[in-house]
Amino acid sequence: MGSILQGKALRLIVAGVLLINGLFPALWILLTSLKSEQELTQKPITWLPESPNMENYFTAFTDQPLHLFLFNSFMVALLSTLLTLFVSVLAAYAIARLNLRHRGLILSAIIAVSTFPLVTLLVPLFEVMRGLSLLNTWTALVLPYTVLSLPVCTLILVSFFEGIPRDLENAAMIDGCTRIGALFRVVVPLSAPGVFTAGILAFVNAWDEFLLALSFNSNPALRTLPVGIQMYQGEFTFPWPVISAALIVGIVPVAILIVLFQERVVSGLTTGGVKG
């Protein structure tokens, strides 16, 4: 009995440490966004703002076109997510259902590709985009983001598709569906948790990406949120309260997305992990 209680206490401690580690940075950014410059730099440091105000949020929208950064990030992330889901669904179905030769080698290659550091791909991708005359366009970001998210999304969906009985597809095809029709009318709806999980992962990856967005787009009208936030700093000044306000504005859409679909995402991650 004592060992069981000790095990539960240890799990609670570990869970508490992980929770604090995950929430503290966001909480500190939120508190900073409600402070003034003077209050932020005074000593000793005050944890809570003495007179919270929303002035930094108004400044974040007036000093820089934050609404434009948000729009660009949303459109790029949405388009890349839709394209990623479409391609990964087809790829995962082929791996899970078709009798492919060297299936294990294909899966190993997908895993290997997903481990490449992004910085090693920067120059080749830049040369490709320049050769295609796609620099300073949304497409220059949508295509690389799709490629970068495909391995993980494909592996997630393969795990789900393999758990769906083939008889359901066969019944749909007997009723007149083509194989593609059975895929999108039967397999994909039954794999909804996996599809939502893959979609949210692809969206968050595209929403947060900085290096490619900085390198491929020099047009101020096409800046995404991560690149736009760095525009708030001057040559010798770092307005952390305003930057923090912009960061909170950028966190909110992703937080809302995760809250709305958290049950499907948790179900997708746990079910996929068990099946995998």
Side-chain angles (χ1 to χ4, degrees):
M1 185 68 178
S3 60
I4 295 176
L5 292 177
Q6 290 178 355
K8 289 183 177 180
L10 180 60
R11 287 195 292 271
L12 287 174
I13 292 173
V14 172
V17 170
L18 293 176
L19 182 64
I20 294 173
N21 182 65
L23 291 181
F24 179 77
L27 179 60
W28 180 252
I29 293 172
L30 175 62
L31 295 176
T32 301
S33 71
L34 300 174
K35 296 180 179 179
S36 64
E37 284 279 357
Q38 294 76 15
E39 189 177 353
L40 185 64
T41 55
Q42 71 183 15
K43 294 182 180 181
I45 296 175
T46 57
W47 292 94
L48 298 176
E50 296 176 356
S51 54
N53 64 82
M54 302 295 292
E55 182 180 350
N56 294 318
Y57 289 88
F58 293 109
T59 304
F61 278 94
T62 55
D63 279 6
Q64 295 290 337
L66 184 58
H67 63 285
L68 182 60
F69 301 155
L70 289 167
F71 176 74
N72 288 333
S73 284
F74 178 78
M75 292 304 300
V76 169
L78 178 63
L79 292 174
S80 64
T81 298
L82 294 176
L83 184 57
T84 298
L85 288 178
F86 179 74
V87 177
S88 61
V89 162
L90 297 178
Y93 184 78
I95 294 172
R97 285 292 192 261
L98 305 183
N99 296 320
L100 299 177
R101 297 180 60 186
H102 309 298
R103 179 178 180 275
L105 182 61
I106 294 173
L107 289 173
S108 299
I110 292 175
I111 295 173
V113 169
S114 67
T115 62
F116 287 178
L118 180 58
V119 68
T120 64
L121 303 175
L122 177 61
V123 174
L125 286 173
F126 183 87
E127 290 298 325
V128 170
M129 294 303 156
R130 184 171 65 175
L132 296 174
S133 300
L134 293 177
L135 295 179
N136 291 315
T137 65
W138 282 349
T139 308
L141 298 180
V142 171
L143 294 180
Y145 290 171
T146 299
V147 172
L148 293 173
S149 297
L150 272 176
V152 172
C153 294
T154 300
L155 292 174
I156 290 174
L157 293 175
V158 165
S159 177
F160 274 86
F161 291 174
E162 288 179 339
I164 296 175
R166 293 175 182 265
D167 293 342
L168 297 176
E169 297 165 66
N170 295 334
M173 287 188 281
I174 290 174
D175 289 339
C177 276
T178 61
R179 182 175 287 274
I180 294 296
L183 167 62
F184 286 101
R185 293 185 180 184
V186 177
V187 178
V188 170
L190 291 175
S191 303
V195 174
F196 275 99
T197 302
I200 289 179
L201 289 176
F203 187 91
V204 172
N205 287 339
W207 183 268
D208 292 339
E209 202 282 323
F210 173 80
L211 184 59
L212 297 185
L214 177 65
S215 303
F216 293 174
N217 280 337
S218 58
N219 186 346
L222 295 175
R223 286 181 181 138
T224 57
L225 185 64
V227 177
I229 286 177
Q230 75 164 353
M231 297 294 108
Y232 287 98
Q233 71 182 51
E235 186 176 359
F236 303 106
T237 59
F238 293 87
W240 292 118
V242 177
I243 293 174
S244 298
L247 288 172
I248 292 297
V249 173
I251 291 172
V252 167
V254 176
I256 292 175
L257 187 66
I258 293 176
V259 168
L260 290 177
F261 300 108
Q262 62 176 330
E263 293 184 3
R264 290 184 179 272
V265 173
V266 172
S267 175
L269 291 173
T270 55
T271 305
V274 171
K275 291 177 181 177

